[in-house]
């Protein structure tokens, strides 16, 4: 069963009567499916099913313990009574104790009033914490859900730790460079949106067009609003959709191949979701770990699509993606000197990453639950310490290898040369003037002289090896190696 955390606006009130939980007649009880009911509503259940999603309640729900974690988030000072035998606390009681500690520690960052200089945990983090705290661990299915939720929260926490040490400008520049290295391009939120709508307009009725005709149609419609639209840039967007398998390609002897939009993607929302998923996948393959809120700003220019991006990230995550995040985090700490002394987290991270993404209920144990939640608590405490003490954050300098290997701004921007303007503005990873290019080339020469060259075994999991091109080459020769350029429109070979 996949982990589907509740909305953070719902977890402090009963999902049936909508009354806020209290420590009197409306104590919260969490069901196996993750929904939370008060004692009053739970007593009215007659068929042994969750009233919201009809999940079977295998045992008497009224005998399940009160979820004291939710009461702690509400500010009630209440904890479950622990049974101590010969001075030893049982594993199940230890598990409940650790979960209560997590609730107490994270409460100021979830439900408390914002404090100056200390931001709240973002919404995806809040959801994953709530998903962990609302697991009903009386039964094996609930304990399996707890372990899966803990692993998901830990992976998200590692991403947050990485983001604390990187500037948004660096992440966006590295992302656009990784897209270009695959023959794709993002034209900015508004222009990309209009481009996708025009591609849909041309193909939504099932028409099959050649790549050249499709690109020319979009360019002609775009140019009144976006004068800098070119066949090359639009071709890169088509290439992005092709990588996402949005087209049915029909090859013809002696003529250009025809591209037809698959029926599944003939609605803008589904096409955009697949488009966004492909960009996120390229970022993950390149070793980039970008939080959903920044993804929303990069792709849409607002913060209204964080949940949508988080669902895409969750869908694309694999067993090895967590391991890749850990490798990126440790490499990052090596670059910046580990100012927060976070390398001690490696053992907990590796323990959590080794947990299967779909662990069977029969393979769970109380001891495993205790070890898992303890490791998650350690990671959360480290993140909270960094949020409370920004002095521990030392951003990567532009002279570090993360930018050096990308040859950041050491070639002139093609749009700036041909059109006199660039749609990416200051976030463009190419230089917009001869002076800027010479300045960055000098910086890279200085960085190479002071930093030893480092090679890695797996280029797909290390941001040092992002680029498949030598960005120090002339920009014209770079675009010759990209499939969709002006001459490629006349080429009959398809991908």
């Amino acid at each position: 069963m996949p982990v589907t955390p509740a909305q953070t606006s719902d977890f402090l009130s009963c999902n049936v009567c909508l009354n806020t939980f209290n420590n009197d007649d409306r104590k919260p009880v969490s069901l196996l499916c993750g929904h939370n009911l008060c004692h009053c509503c739970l007593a009215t259940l007659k068929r042994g099913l969750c009233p919201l999603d009809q999940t079977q309640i295998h045992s008497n729900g009224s005998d399940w313990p009160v979820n004291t974690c939710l009461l702690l988030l509400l500010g009630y000072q209440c904890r479950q009574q622990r049974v101590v035998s010969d001075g030893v606390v049982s594993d199940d009681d230890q598990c409940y104790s650790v979960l209560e500690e997590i609730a107490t520690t994270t409460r100021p960052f979830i439900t408390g009033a914002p404090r100056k200089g200390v931001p709240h945990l973002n919404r995806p983090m809040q959801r994953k914490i709530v998903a962990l705290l609302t697991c009903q661990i009386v039964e094996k299915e609930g304990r399996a859900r707890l372990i899966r939720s803990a692993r998901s929260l830990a992976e998200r926490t590692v991403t947050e730790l990485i983001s604390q040490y990187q500037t948004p400008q660096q992440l966006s520049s590295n992302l656009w460079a990784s897209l270009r290295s695959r023959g794709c391009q993002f034209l900015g939120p508004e222009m990309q949106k209009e481009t996708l709508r025009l591609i849909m307009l041309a193909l939504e009725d099932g028409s099959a067009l050649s790549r050249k005709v499709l690109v020319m149609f979009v360019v002609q419609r775009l140019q009144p609003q976006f004068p800098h639209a070119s066949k090359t840039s639009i071709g890169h967007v088509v290439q992005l959709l092709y990588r996402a398998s949005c087209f049915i390609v029909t090859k013809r002897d002696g003529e250009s191949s025809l591209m037809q939009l698959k029926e599944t993607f003939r609605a803008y929302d589904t096409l955009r979701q697949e488009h966004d998923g492909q960009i996120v996948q390229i970022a993950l393959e390149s070793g980039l770990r970008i939080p959903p809120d920044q993804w929303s700003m990069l792709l849409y220019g607002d913060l209204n699509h964080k949940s949508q991006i988080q669902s895409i990230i969750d869908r694309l995550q694999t067993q090895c993606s967590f391991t890749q995040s850990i490798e990126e985090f440790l490499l990052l700490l090596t670059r910046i000197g580990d100012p927060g002394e976070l390398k001690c987290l490696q053992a907990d991270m590796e323990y959590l990453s080794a947990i299967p993404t779909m662990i069977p209920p029969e393979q769970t144990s109380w001891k495993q639950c205790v070890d898992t939640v303890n490791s998650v608590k350690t990671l959360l405490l480290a993140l909270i310490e960094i949020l409370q003490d920004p002095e521990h954050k030392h951003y990567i300098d532009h002279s570090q290898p993360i930018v050096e290997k990308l040859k950041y701004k050491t070639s002139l921007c093609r749009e700036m040369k041909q059109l006199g303007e660039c749609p990416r503005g200051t976030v463009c990873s190419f230089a917009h003037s001869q002076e800027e290019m010479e300045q960055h080339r000098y910086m890279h020469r200085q960085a190479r002289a002071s930093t030893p060259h480092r090679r890695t075994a797996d280029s797909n999991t290390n941001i040092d090896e992002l680029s498949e091109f030598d960005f120090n080459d002339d920009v014209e020769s770079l675009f010759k190696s990209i499939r969709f350029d002006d001459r490629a429109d006349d080429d009959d070979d398809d991908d």
Side-chain angles (χ1 to χ4, degrees):
M1 181 188 300
V3 178
T4 54
Q7 297 286 336
T8 52
S9 57
D10 299 337
F11 69 87
L12 296 180
S13 59
C14 175
N15 294 145
V16 175
C17 66
L18 305 182
N19 289 310
T20 303
F21 295 125
N22 59 40
N23 200 22
D24 188 15
D25 59 333
R26 297 198 179 276
K27 295 179 179 179
V29 175
S30 296
L31 305 182
L32 283 175
C33 55
H35 291 114
N36 307 299
L37 275 63
C38 65
H39 261 176
C40 295
C41 294
L42 188 62
T44 63
L45 298 182
K46 300 184 182 300
R47 296 187 299 162
L49 300 174
C50 172
L52 299 174
D53 60 12
Q54 305 303 304
T55 299
Q56 181 71 42
I57 301 176
H58 299 295
S59 60
N60 188 357
S62 59
D63 295 335
W64 287 348
V66 172
N67 191 330
T68 51
C69 294
L70 295 183
L71 293 177
L72 288 170
L73 288 177
L74 279 165
Y76 292 100
Q77 298 301 316
C78 59
R79 292 177 180 268
Q80 290 195 20
Q81 297 296 322
R82 310 298 172 208
V83 178
V84 180
S85 177
D86 297 329
V88 178
V89 180
S90 62
D91 286 337
D92 55 338
D93 282 339
Q94 287 185 48
C95 188
Y96 284 117
S97 295
V98 177
L99 290 174
E100 289 174 349
E101 290 176 23
I102 291 175
T104 303
T105 303
T106 58
R107 178 178 178 270
F109 297 87
I110 297 179
T111 60
R115 289 176 290 169
K116 184 177 180 180
V118 181
H120 268 199
L121 292 171
N122 57 43
R123 192 173 181 85
M125 276 294 294
Q126 292 183 24
R127 288 179 173 176
K128 290 184 181 295
I129 292 173
V130 170
L132 180 72
L133 299 180
T134 55
C135 292
Q136 179 51 263
I137 56 179
V138 172
E139 299 188 10
K140 288 185 177 180
E141 291 84 352
R143 293 195 286 276
R145 184 175 182 269
L146 173 80
I147 293 173
R148 293 196 302 269
S149 298
R151 187 188 189 281
S152 178
L153 173 59
E155 185 168 2
R156 175 67 197 168
T157 304
V158 173
T159 301
E160 287 295 317
L161 287 169
I162 293 174
S163 68
Q164 295 299 316
Y165 291 93
Q166 292 180 323
T167 64
Q169 293 80 7
Q170 290 169 343
L171 285 175
S172 60
S173 296
N174 295 335
L175 173 61
W176 307 143
S178 63
L179 284 177
R180 289 194 197 94
S181 71
R182 289 160 173 79
C184 305
Q185 192 171 351
F186 187 81
L187 309 175
E190 288 301 321
M191 188 173 177
Q192 197 83 354
K193 178 180 177 181
E194 289 303 315
T195 300
L196 293 177
R197 289 192 180 278
L198 288 171
I199 291 174
M200 266 203 51
L201 178 64
L203 301 177
E204 65 181 349
D205 60 350
S207 301
L209 302 177
S210 68
R211 186 173 59 196
K212 179 179 180 180
V213 172
L214 177 61
V215 169
M216 288 302 300
F217 169 80
V218 175
V219 170
Q220 290 173 3
R221 294 295 187 94
L222 272 181
Q223 281 185 336
Q225 186 177 357
F226 302 97
H228 52 275
S230 65
K231 291 187 291 183
T232 300
S233 60
I234 302 305
H236 292 165
V237 178
V238 175
Q239 169 70 357
L240 187 64
L241 296 177
Y242 178 85
R243 284 179 59 96
S245 301
C246 294
F247 297 118
I248 299 173
V249 179
T250 305
K251 293 192 175 183
R252 301 184 298 174
D253 294 336
E255 297 185 53
S256 299
S257 300
L258 297 179
M259 306 178 72
Q260 184 180 21
L261 200 61
K262 291 181 180 179
E263 189 171 355
T264 311
F265 305 116
R266 293 178 189 173
Y268 176 77
D269 290 340
T270 55
L271 183 66
R272 184 62 196 253
Q273 185 176 17
E274 201 67 20
H275 162 275
D276 294 348
Q278 185 61 31
I279 295 180
V280 173
Q281 183 174 345
I282 290 174
L284 293 176
E285 290 173 354
S286 302
L288 293 171
R289 300 296 181 264
I290 303 177
D293 51 351
Q294 189 170 351
W295 270 121
S296 183
M297 285 299 300
L298 289 171
L299 299 182
Y300 292 91
D302 57 43
L303 294 174
N304 301 327
H305 299 81
K306 294 182 290 185
S307 300
Q308 175 183 333
I309 298 297
Q310 182 61 55
S311 65
I312 293 174
I313 295 174
D314 291 340
R315 173 168 55 87
L316 293 175
Q317 284 175 344
T318 62
Q319 183 73 30
C320 64
S321 63
F322 194 176
T323 304
Q324 294 172 2
S325 296
I326 296 172
E327 292 173 356
E328 290 299 322
F329 178 65
L330 295 175
L331 183 61
L332 183 62
L333 294 182
T334 301
R335 291 196 186 108
I336 64 178
D338 193 12
E341 299 181 354
L342 299 179
K343 283 190 176 180
C344 61
L345 303 176
Q346 182 176 356
D348 291 302
M349 291 178 178
E350 291 177 347
Y351 171 78
L352 290 162
S353 67
I355 298 174
T357 52
M358 296 301 293
I359 183 170
E362 59 273 9
Q363 294 183 10
T364 61
S365 66
W366 280 111
K367 178 65 167 60
Q368 186 180 15
C369 290
V370 173
D371 293 341
T372 301
V373 294
N374 267 315
S375 294
V376 169
K377 184 186 76 171
T378 302
L379 299 186
L380 286 173
L381 289 175
L383 176 60
I384 288 173
E385 183 179 357
I386 291 177
L387 291 175
Q388 291 177 319
D389 186 9
E391 294 299 323
H392 282 174
K393 295 194 294 184
H394 292 177
Y395 290 121
I396 302 174
D397 186 74
H398 283 284
S399 63
Q400 295 293 334
I402 191 172
V403 180
E404 176 198 346
K405 285 296 186 69
L406 292 177
K407 303 297 187 295
Y408 181 73
K409 291 188 181 294
T410 57
S411 297
L412 288 174
C413 174
R414 191 185 194 194
E415 283 83 357
M416 183 62 71
K417 286 175 60 178
Q418 294 183 348
L419 306 172
E421 60 179 342
C422 174
R424 290 171 294 279
T426 58
V427 301
C428 181
S429 59
F430 291 92
H432 285 175
S433 67
Q434 188 72 24
E435 293 77 9
E436 185 180 25
M437 181 179 69
E438 293 300 331
Q439 178 186 2
H440 281 274
R441 284 185 175 181
Y442 174 77
M443 290 169 56
H444 288 305
R445 286 195 296 269
Q446 295 297 317
R448 282 195 294 270
S450 60
T451 305
H453 183 66
R454 177 167 52 251
R455 298 183 65 86
T456 57
D458 187 356
S459 62
N460 287 330
T461 61
N462 194 314
I463 199 170
D464 281 347
E465 301 292 334
L466 263 178
S467 179
E468 298 172 7
F469 299 103
D470 182 1
F471 278 81
N472 206 26
D473 291 342
D474 184 77
V475 72
E476 294 295 335
S477 62
L478 182 147
F479 273 89
K480 289 179 182 178
S481 61
I482 295 179
R483 184 173 290 106
F484 282 96
D485 60 1
D486 293 340
R487 295 182 299 101
D489 293 328
D490 300 321
D491 191 357
D492 292 340
D493 295 332
D494 220 298
D495 299 302

